[in-house]
Amino acid sequence: MNKRNMLKGLLGLTLAMGAGMAHAAYPERPITMIVPWGAGGGTDATARMIATLLEKELDNPVNVVNRTGGNGVVGHMAIAKAKPDGYTLGMLTVEIATMKHLGLTTITPADYTPLALMNEDPAGVTVSATSEYKDMKSLMEAIKANPGKLKASGTGQGGIWHIAIAGLVNKAGLPPNSVPFVPSNGSAPAMLELVAGGIDIVPTSLPEARSMIDAGKAKPLAIMSKERSPMYPDVPTLKETTGNEWTVGVWRGIAGPKGLPDDVTAKLEAALKKVNESKEFRDFMSKRGFGVAYANSKDYGEYMAKSTADFGEVLKAIGMAK
């Protein structure tokens, strides 16, 4: 090797080492975390707590920005379209698994680099405290015997709680419209309507039904999860009561745009795992009645893919898939 080639080689090695050192220094500047929903809500509060704890783990500012609009489409799109350098992350919510099916956008969970699942609240099956149905088995027998008689509510048409009840009856081998769904502006007004006798079932998460349950005005018959809820350990799972293996719920996780560098992904994944396991995060979630869940990058990606497939099947069955 002549002197000139040797100098070129040394220069190339120096540049490569410099680039590697610069990249290894991630993060070198503030990170933006996009939240697709408004300030003050549960998703926003959860994201801000995660951002605060993530700052400590990364020793770097993490700034939360709310990008609302289009039923969550605007914010989810902003996360997907960001530069994949690790400086724009976002909180994905369960709606990303339904948006394409509903014709709202072309993006799907495949358009992101999943980092960590942080929260999951399975759907429950809640009825009025005065309901004649004392367990899930008797409720399912009534639905089968009188299709169309019992009504449910808890969200808008095609929303997560509509999918929850439609998927439940579909998995039981019954027409998914056996329980007519009355649209509402959320679980809170639906629970009021349940207590008033206007509807028969609210398939919302137990944390959202908590105030009425604890007040003795409503009773949960089952939870659409593989395991019982720590909040209500006496409430059985669907499988325990009826053999139905349908599971569904709301979830929140952190992701970046598709194509994040592997080392950046690994660093963020490790930091988020520590955040998830921290006492501060778990105490925060517990006080608000939110469930803590965790899945790493690979498992979270698979989890979202399964949610997307399951929800698409139900939305197609109820005639809402585009």
Side-chain angles (χ1 to χ4, degrees), residues 243-268:
N244 191 326
E245 296 187 352
W246 173 249
T247 60
V248 66
V250 294
W251 47 259
R252 303 179 179 100
I254 304 299
K258 186 176 181 179
L260 283 187
D262 290 344
D263 57 337
V264 171
T265 297
K267 187 164 188 176
L268 289 169

Side-chain angles (χ1 to χ4, degrees), residues 96-97 101 108-110 114 251 298-312:
I96 189 59
H101 296 306
T108 72
W251 47 259
K298 178 178 179 295
D299 292 343
Y300 182 32
E302 293 174 354
Y303 177 93
M304 288 194 288
K306 184 179 186 304
S307 291
T308 303
D310 288 347
F311 296 170

